[in-house]
Amino acid sequence: MSNELEGLRIVLADDHAVVRLGFRLLLEGVGAEVVAEAERGEGAIRLYAEHSPDVLVMDVSMPGIGGLAALERLLGVAPKARVLMLSAHEDAIVPVRAMRIGARGYLCKRASPEEFLRAVGEVARDRRYLDPALAQVVALAQLSGTASPVESLTAKELAVFMKLAIGRSVGEVAEDFCLSASTVGTHLYHIKQKLQVNNAAELTLVALRNGLIEG
């Protein structure tokens, strides 16, 4: 493993400093170099442009625009970016969406250190990598005719939905995404229509049932 990762330049994006430190120690222990760290999606985009790393390792759930929206924005300007997305949740919806947007890999944070290093190595070689623990649930979600209604949301709607589901207000979400409150309100209207919910509590319940947030 050390030979495969030695010399790789990595940017880490996670809002938990202790998590970033753990990743840094793992990567530096096999000869990779962490060239920069971000705690928000916006910072990850800026640091990628500044350092052009071999791999960006980015958490799905961060303050600001969050990982999914940052992934979409980054690939809009750097389509060849190799990004490994991480999440604490073992749902199927987010990994499916992340891979559709263009992430090269997706890994649950419950994975072993060896699995994390393997994922970074695969993504660095521009190979697609999906956490083995998620592979079955993702395959079933893609094949099933009873997909979650959350799958009907656009990437921007999903990003807004995940913010609202954890209790962010329309105004706060507008600030996170640099949108007007009326635009976020329009997204919320479409989200409610697609998910057939009426209020914030029901949004949170849908997120919980789909494994997008923890209770």
Side-chain angles (χ1 to χ4, degrees):
M1 182 65 69
S2 58
N3 289 338
E4 295 177 9
L5 299 186
E6 192 163 359
L8 288 182
R9 300 171 65 258
I10 313 290
V11 168
L12 298 176
D14 191 294
D15 57 323
H16 295 99
V18 172
V19 173
R20 295 198 308 272
L21 176 60
F23 290 151
R24 175 186 280 273
L25 291 173
L26 281 172
L27 291 163
E28 292 181 345
V30 294
E33 179 188 3
V34 175
V35 294
E37 298 182 17
E39 58 183 22
R40 300 168 68 95
E42 296 90 330
I45 296 168
R46 177 177 54 79
L47 290 173
Y48 186 93
E50 186 176 327
H51 294 279
S52 297
D54 296 301
V55 179
L56 167 61
V57 177
M58 181 159 60
D59 190 19
V60 167
S61 301
M62 292 185 289
I65 63 174
L68 279 182
L71 173 67
E72 187 172 39
R73 194 175 294 180
L74 172 63
L75 293 176
V77 295
K80 294 185 178 180
R82 293 185 289 269
V83 184
L84 172 64
M85 298 297 291
L86 301 173
S87 175
H89 311 301
E90 295 183 356
D91 63 280
I93 295 163
V94 175
V96 168
R97 189 59 57 88
M99 301 297 260
R100 282 181 187 166
I101 291 172
R104 300 307 296 164
Y106 192 98
L107 188 70
C108 180
K109 284 186 174 180
R110 293 182 178 86
S112 67
E114 293 78 16
E115 198 72 43
F116 169 73
L117 294 174
R118 186 176 300 112
V120 171
E122 288 294 296
V123 170
R125 290 190 291 275
D126 205 22
R127 297 176 183 165
R128 290 170 71 83
Y129 184 90
L130 179 62
D131 190 324
L134 296 175
Q136 184 175 4
V137 70
V138 167
L140 288 173
Q142 290 177 313
L143 292 171
S144 172
T146 57
S148 164
V150 177
E151 266 293 288
S152 67
L153 302 180
T154 66
K156 180 56 68 66
E157 287 168 353
L158 180 62
V160 169
F161 164 70
M162 291 175 68
K163 292 288 185 181
L164 294 169
I166 61 171
R168 300 286 283 173
S169 69
V170 168
E172 288 170 331
V173 175
E175 186 175 329
D176 287 342
F177 288 99
C178 298
L179 300 171
S180 68
S182 63
T183 298
V184 175
T186 300
H187 285 312
L188 177 55
Y189 172 79
H190 291 304
I191 291 166
K192 285 180 174 179
Q193 293 290 307
K194 290 179 178 181
L195 302 185
Q196 297 185 327
V197 300
N198 298 307
N199 52 48
E202 291 179 2
L203 280 178
T204 300
L205 186 59
V206 170
L208 285 166
R209 285 176 174 169
N210 285 277
L212 296 172
I213 60 175
E214 293 179 349

